Amino acid sequence: MAEKEGKKRKRQSNGVDVSSKKVALGADKGSNIKVTFSDNRQNGADPVFVSAPGLTAPPIAFKPYAKSTSGKHTNALPKPTTHDLLLQSSQHPQLDYTATSSSIDQHQSHYLAVYDPASKELQITSAHHLSLRSIPRKISEESKEAKARSFAQQREQLGREFGTKKAKKAIASKTENAIVKGGKNGVQSGAQNAVLESVADSAAAAPNQEQVEQDLLASKPIPKPNLAAESAEQVYAFNTLIPQAEARLVPVKDWQEKARAKEEIMFSHRYPAHRVAAVGCTDNILKLKALSYLNLLMDFHDALQNAGRGGKKVPKKEVLSKKLAAWPGTLVDLVRRRFSNPQNELPKWHQDNLYTHMAALTLYVDDWSTNTTDLKDDLKMENRQIVQFFNELGCKVGGMTEKDRERLGVGKAVAGTMRMAKLKLPLEFPKPRAGRKR
């Protein structure tokens, strides 16, 4: 089709092509990573992942054996998609080790990724996955142990081979009861010693109670605490509560100018309204950013919609942008991705994660001792609910003392209904509840 007459064309550039794409905020120039996938290896076979459940394998060499799954791949290099791989070693004095592919991996693929920070290249290649097992080595008749057997043991061997059913049963019962090492008549073989030593090594490598508690704490929906902190201020650092990419976008200049000029600032929530005047007049920008970020989380919480079964969901983009029009769009999007799942929903774990971050921010603003009443009223919760979130952070929650009441200027009648959450060392996290006994 011919072009319409009079249609304007774009002016030729001066030799410089300018991209029409917007630059992502927070991204450094040259931060792109080159990803390559290597499927046809020319220098050797693919790498191998070996899992050893219940075993601690010694540092020994393995011999590889490969078998093609079809005749057309017989002379080709072994690949996870075309060959079955087996690793075998007999270098251990008493045990034979064999690594074979598991039946669970028939419909799974495994890959190895190696990242080079100098060239910013990520190379991905396919890999085999094998499961390691050990079996006691059979002792030959010519071995030293066979030559050193006593006359009674030789009679037992003859009884196993040529004895009556009653005799065989008696010998088998005696053998089962003679496993105890150092018994009067029981002699433990080297293979049994090796198996028991392997079990002992695995038990020694198992995580201790402290490691189990740390792993359990890491899976909770709370900000990651610094368990090695020497003071309450080091437990939840500012960068832990607000990532650096989000902290740069949090607006505070307008609040600071109005607070110093003693101008009125309108809020929808009680907590920031009661503290912006005192925090804004100081030079503590981090504390002011924490208060502003907390106000954003409260607005984000108010914009959520019910999703059934106690869950929440993020409204559509245009609806969310309208409700949070006072905040930078990029910052709102970062908050949405941080506290919701990929389906833009907030199940119970994600909601608890949002609430505990709010609670931790109030501790940061109030110097690690905060009155929970304002946050409770802003989130429309009961005392037991808000107390639980502060307990999850390791706080001690109790009634308001006389010193707290005088410092906050609260009357005696009102102070009896309020709770104070204080973060002190050593931290005390709630113990996991045990299941009900049947």
Side-chain angles (χ1 to χ4, degrees), residues 88-399:
Q88 193 275 337
S89 176
S90 299
Q91 293 188 2
H92 193 274
Q94 292 91 15
L95 296 177
D96 287 335
Y97 287 91
T98 306
T100 58
S101 59
S102 175
S103 59
I104 303 177
D105 294 333
Q106 291 181 356
H107 304 287
Q108 294 180 353
S109 299
H110 298 266
Y111 298 90
L112 175 67
V114 180
Y115 175 65
D116 185 1
S119 61
K120 293 184 178 180
E121 182 176 355
L122 181 68
Q123 185 176 3
I124 302 175
T125 182
S126 58
H128 298 270
H129 179 248
L130 305 179
S131 181
L132 184 65
R133 294 290 184 269
S134 66
I135 57 174
R137 186 175 302 125
K138 293 183 180 180
I139 303 174
S140 64
E141 294 295 331
E142 300 298 328
S143 64
K144 295 181 180 179
E145 292 184 9
K147 294 180 180 179
R149 285 188 303 178
S150 65
F151 178 72
Q153 290 176 317
Q154 295 178 15
R155 288 185 60 184
E156 288 182 2
Q157 183 65 27
L158 290 173
R160 293 190 191 97
E161 297 294 337
F162 307 104
T164 62
K165 290 183 179 180
K166 186 176 181 180
K168 291 181 179 180
K169 185 177 180 180
I171 294 173
S173 178
K174 182 180 179 181
T175 304
E176 291 175 359
N177 295 328
I179 295 178
V180 180
K181 187 175 181 179
K184 184 177 180 181
N185 297 322
V187 179
Q188 197 172 31
S189 67
Q192 290 173 334
N193 286 333
V195 172
L196 293 177
E197 290 174 2
S198 178
V199 173
D201 293 340
S202 300
N208 53 23
Q209 183 65 23
E210 182 180 357
Q211 183 63 38
V212 171
E213 292 178 356
Q214 292 181 3
D215 294 342
L216 180 62
L217 188 63
S219 65
K220 286 188 174 183
I222 62 174
K224 185 177 181 181
N226 178 16
L227 301 180
E230 299 180 354
S231 62
E233 293 79 6
Q234 299 176 356
V235 177
Y236 297 105
F238 179 83
N239 292 335
T240 301
L241 302 177
I242 309 177
Q244 186 177 2
E246 299 178 31
R248 293 189 299 104
L249 302 174
V250 176
V252 295
K253 185 178 180 180
D254 184 54
W255 283 10
Q256 192 175 43
E257 292 177 351
K258 288 184 177 181
R260 292 180 176 179
K262 297 183 179 180
E263 297 181 10
E264 185 179 6
I265 306 175
M266 302 302 296
F267 291 94
S268 301
H269 304 95
R270 298 179 58 178
Y271 185 91
H274 291 168
R275 290 160 177 80
V276 66
V279 178
C281 292
T282 65
D283 294 329
N284 196 333
I285 299 298
L286 294 183
K287 186 175 290 189
L288 191 58
K289 279 183 176 287
L291 184 64
S292 180
Y293 189 77
L294 173 61
N295 192 34
L296 168 59
L297 295 186
M298 291 180 174
D299 291 342
F300 175 75
H301 174 265
D302 294 343
L304 298 177
Q305 300 173 349
N306 293 328
R309 294 187 178 181
K312 300 284 186 179
K313 66 178 181 179
V314 181
K316 294 182 179 180
K317 186 177 181 179
E318 56 272 13
V319 177
L320 184 64
S321 300
K322 185 177 180 180
K323 290 185 177 182
L324 303 180
W327 300 96
T330 305
L331 179 59
V332 172
D333 190 59
L334 290 174
V335 169
R336 174 189 62 81
R337 286 186 286 178
R338 183 184 182 192
F339 291 101
S340 64
N341 61 16
Q343 291 75 35
N344 282 335
E345 296 177 348
L346 279 81
K348 186 180 185 308
W349 191 95
H350 292 75
Q351 290 184 63
D352 292 348
N353 188 43
L354 177 62
Y355 292 142
T356 53
H357 275 76
M358 291 184 186
L361 286 168
T362 63
L363 290 169
Y364 187 91
V365 173
D366 291 340
D367 296 326
W368 314 106
S369 177
T370 183
N371 181 2
T372 65
T373 303
D374 286 344
L375 183 62
K376 172 183 72 71
D377 294 340
D378 288 334
L379 299 179
K380 299 179 177 60
M381 290 184 178
E382 298 180 2
N383 260 330
R384 61 177 180 82
Q385 293 175 297
I386 199 68
V387 165
Q388 178 62 29
F389 291 126
F390 280 100
N391 284 336
E392 293 291 341
L393 295 173
C395 295
K396 298 177 179 65
V397 184

Side-chain angles (χ1 to χ4, degrees), residues 44-93:
D46 292 295
V48 179
F49 291 116
V50 178
S51 58
L55 294 178
T56 301
I60 56 178
F62 288 86
K63 292 182 179 180
Y65 300 91
K67 180 182 178 182
S68 60
T69 56
S70 62
K72 61 181 180 179
H73 301 298
T74 302
N75 297 325
L77 287 176
K79 295 182 180 179
T81 56
T82 60
H83 288 72
D84 291 331
L85 193 64
L86 182 143
L87 301 180
Q88 193 275 337
S89 176
S90 299
Q91 293 188 2
H92 193 274

